Amino acid sequence: MLSKKKILNEVANSGFVRPLSDDERKKLKKTLLSMTAEIDMVCRKYGIRMFLVGGSLLGAIRHAGFIPWDDDVDFGMIREDYTKFISIFEQELGEHYYLRCPNSPFPNGNRFMQIFKKGTVLETADGNTPLQPNCVQIDVFPYDAVPNNRIHQIIKGIWCNGLMIIASSVTDYTYPNEEYKRMMHKTFDGWLLDTAMTIVGFLFSWWSPAKWFDKVDRAIQYKKQTGFLTSATGRKHYLGEIFSTDVFLPLQEIKFENLMLYAPAKPDVYLKHNYGDDYMTLPPDGKRESHFVKRLEL
């Protein structure tokens, strides 16, 4: 499957996008770490478990903190905690943060939760929509139970992945970003993916992006407790991120910079699945994922 993130990173590594300077990245990480500490403290107050996932978990295991060239933070929450966090957000964090999340009282411009720091500016080349503030943010992915039956898993996974493609395509069609399109069109794969998403976006634009993302969020949920969990909105989507529940639970605490944060019980299993058996080996410069920052004010 063509990946927008992979294509944009290839373009960025070809010199079309200016990377963050070392000083900018250092300041951004300091802000992200401060945000993490504050949000984690509120979560613990309410018994909410926010745990490291994705590149942030990789960084914690390989570097005891941020990946040196990385510029974001990724967390997960079991659905019960995810829902509880939405209910306490405004009271505990609303003064200093914005929340964007599907099926919540807050505006929604993405398929998973994002927490934005008020008073900051982070403008990216691939473009935040008008539904999202141009601010420094932390991403939080819901982790949902998965049916035990493999055929049921496959059917549900295909349905959820299809809805996510539609939601993303309708967003790009509704809020076109010409600079992002120019970046995508630097490669054939990028042109092909952007053209396909434009067609899909047009065909399904009879619903707003927010309604499509709400539908995605409802579709990925599964009410019964089973022996499996998935991060349906994660990097490998529903079928690519199905794990036995004991890979995550019970959570442990590990070091991340100067903090102790929750992490999966078996990070090695998770990281080998998502990044390969050699995840402890540093990738070459041209394969290092980064984001596409145009303007940063902290």
Side-chain angles (χ1 to χ4, degrees), residues 249-264:
L249 303 177
L251 296 170
Q252 61 171 317
E253 288 189 278
I254 62 175
K255 188 176 187 297
F256 187 89
E257 302 293 342
N258 63 340
L259 302 175
M260 293 298 293
L261 300 174
Y262 285 121

PDB file of all heavy atoms in Angstrom, residues 249-264:
ATOM      1  N   LEU A 249      -0.566  -5.360  28.558  1.00  0.00           N
ATOM      2  CA  LEU A 249      -1.000  -5.363  29.954  1.00  0.00           C
ATOM      3  C   LEU A 249      -0.431  -6.555  30.717  1.00  0.00           C
ATOM      4  O   LEU A 249      -0.339  -7.652  30.175  1.00  0.00           O
ATOM      5  CB  LEU A 249      -2.529  -5.394  30.012  1.00  0.00           C
ATOM      6  CG  LEU A 249      -3.247  -4.264  29.279  1.00  0.00           C
ATOM      7  CD1 LEU A 249      -4.767  -4.468  29.350  1.00  0.00           C
ATOM      8  CD2 LEU A 249      -2.863  -2.901  29.834  1.00  0.00           C
ATOM      9  N   PRO A 250      -0.028  -6.360  31.987  1.00  0.00           N
ATOM     10  CA  PRO A 250      -0.066  -5.081  32.714  1.00  0.00           C
ATOM     11  C   PRO A 250       1.052  -4.148  32.251  1.00  0.00           C
ATOM     12  O   PRO A 250       2.141  -4.600  31.910  1.00  0.00           O
ATOM     13  CB  PRO A 250       0.147  -5.515  34.167  1.00  0.00           C
ATOM     14  CG  PRO A 250       0.978  -6.758  34.065  1.00  0.00           C
ATOM     15  CD  PRO A 250       0.496  -7.461  32.825  1.00  0.00           C
ATOM     16  N   LEU A 251       0.762  -2.861  32.226  1.00  0.00           N
ATOM     17  CA  LEU A 251       1.754  -1.873  31.828  1.00  0.00           C
ATOM     18  C   LEU A 251       2.909  -1.833  32.839  1.00  0.00           C
ATOM     19  O   LEU A 251       2.736  -2.131  34.016  1.00  0.00           O
ATOM     20  CB  LEU A 251       1.112  -0.489  31.720  1.00  0.00           C
ATOM     21  CG  LEU A 251       0.030  -0.314  30.659  1.00  0.00           C
ATOM     22  CD1 LEU A 251      -0.679   1.018  30.839  1.00  0.00           C
ATOM     23  CD2 LEU A 251       0.603  -0.421  29.251  1.00  0.00           C
ATOM     24  N   GLN A 252       4.075  -1.442  32.346  1.00  0.00           N
ATOM     25  CA  GLN A 252       5.227  -1.204  33.204  1.00  0.00           C
ATOM     26  C   GLN A 252       5.628   0.261  33.086  1.00  0.00           C
ATOM     27  O   GLN A 252       5.103   0.994  32.241  1.00  0.00           O
ATOM     28  CB  GLN A 252       6.396  -2.082  32.789  1.00  0.00           C
ATOM     29  CG  GLN A 252       6.877  -1.811  31.352  1.00  0.00           C
ATOM     30  CD  GLN A 252       8.167  -2.516  31.014  1.00  0.00           C
ATOM     31  OE1 GLN A 252       9.100  -2.548  31.815  1.00  0.00           O
ATOM     32  NE2 GLN A 252       8.241  -3.087  29.812  1.00  0.00           N
ATOM     33  N   GLU A 253       6.554   0.721  33.899  1.00  0.00           N
ATOM     34  CA  GLU A 253       7.106   2.064  33.788  1.00  0.00           C
ATOM     35  C   GLU A 253       8.549   1.994  33.308  1.00  0.00           C
ATOM     36  O   GLU A 253       9.331   1.156  33.777  1.00  0.00           O
ATOM     37  CB  GLU A 253       7.028   2.793  35.128  1.00  0.00           C
ATOM     38  CG  GLU A 253       5.633   3.212  35.525  1.00  0.00           C
ATOM     39  CD  GLU A 253       5.627   4.125  36.747  1.00  0.00           C
ATOM     40  OE1 GLU A 253       5.700   3.601  37.867  1.00  0.00           O
ATOM     41  OE2 GLU A 253       5.565   5.357  36.569  1.00  0.00           O
ATOM     42  N   ILE A 254       8.890   2.869  32.354  1.00  0.00           N
ATOM     43  CA  ILE A 254      10.260   2.933  31.860  1.00  0.00           C
ATOM     44  C   ILE A 254      10.701   4.395  31.762  1.00  0.00           C
ATOM     45  O   ILE A 254       9.882   5.314  31.782  1.00  0.00           O
ATOM     46  CB  ILE A 254      10.417   2.246  30.488  1.00  0.00           C
ATOM     47  CG1 ILE A 254       9.555   2.937  29.424  1.00  0.00           C
ATOM     48  CG2 ILE A 254      10.065   0.768  30.576  1.00  0.00           C
ATOM     49  CD1 ILE A 254       9.786   2.368  28.024  1.00  0.00           C
ATOM     50  N   LYS A 255      12.000   4.588  31.628  1.00  0.00           N
ATOM     51  CA  LYS A 255      12.576   5.935  31.591  1.00  0.00           C
ATOM     52  C   LYS A 255      12.399   6.556  30.207  1.00  0.00           C
ATOM     53  O   LYS A 255      12.656   5.918  29.185  1.00  0.00           O
ATOM     54  CB  LYS A 255      14.062   5.878  31.944  1.00  0.00           C
ATOM     55  CG  LYS A 255      14.734   7.228  32.124  1.00  0.00           C
ATOM     56  CD  LYS A 255      16.179   7.040  32.567  1.00  0.00           C
ATOM     57  CE  LYS A 255      16.829   8.388  32.915  1.00  0.00           C
ATOM     58  NZ  LYS A 255      16.918   9.305  31.765  1.00  0.00           N
ATOM     59  N   PHE A 256      11.973   7.792  30.204  1.00  0.00           N
ATOM     60  CA  PHE A 256      11.909   8.591  28.979  1.00  0.00           C
ATOM     61  C   PHE A 256      12.434   9.975  29.328  1.00  0.00           C
ATOM     62  O   PHE A 256      11.763  10.743  30.010  1.00  0.00           O
ATOM     63  CB  PHE A 256      10.479   8.674  28.440  1.00  0.00           C
ATOM     64  CG  PHE A 256      10.381   9.348  27.091  1.00  0.00           C
ATOM     65  CD1 PHE A 256      10.493   8.609  25.930  1.00  0.00           C
ATOM     66  CD2 PHE A 256      10.195  10.724  26.988  1.00  0.00           C
ATOM     67  CE1 PHE A 256      10.401   9.217  24.675  1.00  0.00           C
ATOM     68  CE2 PHE A 256      10.116  11.342  25.755  1.00  0.00           C
ATOM     69  CZ  PHE A 256      10.222  10.589  24.594  1.00  0.00           C
ATOM     70  N   GLU A 257      13.666  10.272  28.889  1.00  0.00           N
ATOM     71  CA  GLU A 257      14.356  11.491  29.310  1.00  0.00           C
ATOM     72  C   GLU A 257      14.381  11.544  30.840  1.00  0.00           C
ATOM     73  O   GLU A 257      14.862  10.610  31.472  1.00  0.00           O
ATOM     74  CB  GLU A 257      13.695  12.730  28.677  1.00  0.00           C
ATOM     75  CG  GLU A 257      13.662  12.709  27.155  1.00  0.00           C
ATOM     76  CD  GLU A 257      15.037  12.798  26.498  1.00  0.00           C
ATOM     77  OE1 GLU A 257      15.994  13.203  27.174  1.00  0.00           O
ATOM     78  OE2 GLU A 257      15.162  12.432  25.312  1.00  0.00           O
ATOM     79  N   ASN A 258      13.796  12.593  31.443  1.00  0.00           N
ATOM     80  CA  ASN A 258      13.809  12.706  32.908  1.00  0.00           C
ATOM     81  C   ASN A 258      12.509  12.239  33.557  1.00  0.00           C
ATOM     82  O   ASN A 258      12.272  12.500  34.734  1.00  0.00           O
ATOM     83  CB  ASN A 258      14.095  14.159  33.318  1.00  0.00           C
ATOM     84  CG  ASN A 258      13.017  15.124  32.863  1.00  0.00           C
ATOM     85  OD1 ASN A 258      12.258  14.809  31.952  1.00  0.00           O
ATOM     86  ND2 ASN A 258      12.946  16.287  33.482  1.00  0.00           N
ATOM     87  N   LEU A 259      11.671  11.546  32.784  1.00  0.00           N
ATOM     88  CA  LEU A 259      10.385  11.084  33.289  1.00  0.00           C
ATOM     89  C   LEU A 259      10.335   9.566  33.366  1.00  0.00           C
ATOM     90  O   LEU A 259      11.078   8.872  32.667  1.00  0.00           O
ATOM     91  CB  LEU A 259       9.249  11.569  32.371  1.00  0.00           C
ATOM     92  CG  LEU A 259       9.115  13.075  32.144  1.00  0.00           C
ATOM     93  CD1 LEU A 259       8.015  13.339  31.117  1.00  0.00           C
ATOM     94  CD2 LEU A 259       8.831  13.805  33.452  1.00  0.00           C
ATOM     95  N   MET A 260       9.442   9.045  34.197  1.00  0.00           N
ATOM     96  CA  MET A 260       9.101   7.633  34.195  1.00  0.00           C
ATOM     97  C   MET A 260       7.674   7.537  33.666  1.00  0.00           C
ATOM     98  O   MET A 260       6.741   8.094  34.258  1.00  0.00           O
ATOM     99  CB  MET A 260       9.198   7.032  35.595  1.00  0.00           C
ATOM    100  CG  MET A 260      10.614   6.984  36.138  1.00  0.00           C
ATOM    101  SD  MET A 260      11.727   5.930  35.147  1.00  0.00           S
ATOM    102  CE  MET A 260      11.013   4.297  35.438  1.00  0.00           C
ATOM    103  N   LEU A 261       7.504   6.845  32.533  1.00  0.00           N
ATOM    104  CA  LEU A 261       6.211   6.790  31.852  1.00  0.00           C
ATOM    105  C   LEU A 261       5.782   5.343  31.657  1.00  0.00           C
ATOM    106  O   LEU A 261       6.604   4.427  31.619  1.00  0.00           O
ATOM    107  CB  LEU A 261       6.307   7.488  30.491  1.00  0.00           C
ATOM    108  CG  LEU A 261       6.706   8.974  30.506  1.00  0.00           C
ATOM    109  CD1 LEU A 261       6.909   9.464  29.077  1.00  0.00           C
ATOM    110  CD2 LEU A 261       5.663   9.813  31.224  1.00  0.00           C
ATOM    111  N   TYR A 262       4.476   5.161  31.501  1.00  0.00           N
ATOM    112  CA  TYR A 262       3.943   3.832  31.231  1.00  0.00           C
ATOM    113  C   TYR A 262       4.373   3.367  29.839  1.00  0.00           C
ATOM    114  O   TYR A 262       4.505   4.162  28.905  1.00  0.00           O
ATOM    115  CB  TYR A 262       2.425   3.837  31.319  1.00  0.00           C
ATOM    116  CG  TYR A 262       1.882   3.904  32.724  1.00  0.00           C
ATOM    117  CD1 TYR A 262       1.052   4.953  33.128  1.00  0.00           C
ATOM    118  CD2 TYR A 262       2.172   2.906  33.659  1.00  0.00           C
ATOM    119  CE1 TYR A 262       0.536   5.011  34.412  1.00  0.00           C
ATOM    120  CE2 TYR A 262       1.671   2.960  34.950  1.00  0.00           C
ATOM    121  CZ  TYR A 262       0.855   4.012  35.318  1.00  0.00           C
ATOM    122  OH  TYR A 262       0.356   4.060  36.591  1.00  0.00           O
ATOM    123  N   ALA A 263       4.552   2.048  29.735  1.00  0.00           N
ATOM    124  CA  ALA A 263       4.923   1.424  28.466  1.00  0.00           C
ATOM    125  C   ALA A 263       4.348   0.007  28.436  1.00  0.00           C
ATOM    126  O   ALA A 263       3.983  -0.548  29.473  1.00  0.00           O
ATOM    127  CB  ALA A 263       6.440   1.372  28.327  1.00  0.00           C
ATOM    128  N   PRO A 264       4.239  -0.606  27.246  1.00  0.00           N
ATOM    129  CA  PRO A 264       3.737  -1.977  27.163  1.00  0.00           C
ATOM    130  C   PRO A 264       4.576  -2.954  27.978  1.00  0.00           C
ATOM    131  O   PRO A 264       5.782  -2.740  28.187  1.00  0.00           O
ATOM    132  CB  PRO A 264       3.837  -2.282  25.666  1.00  0.00           C
ATOM    133  CG  PRO A 264       3.761  -0.950  24.997  1.00  0.00           C
ATOM    134  CD  PRO A 264       4.475  -0.016  25.917  1.00  0.00           C
TER     135      PRO A 264
END
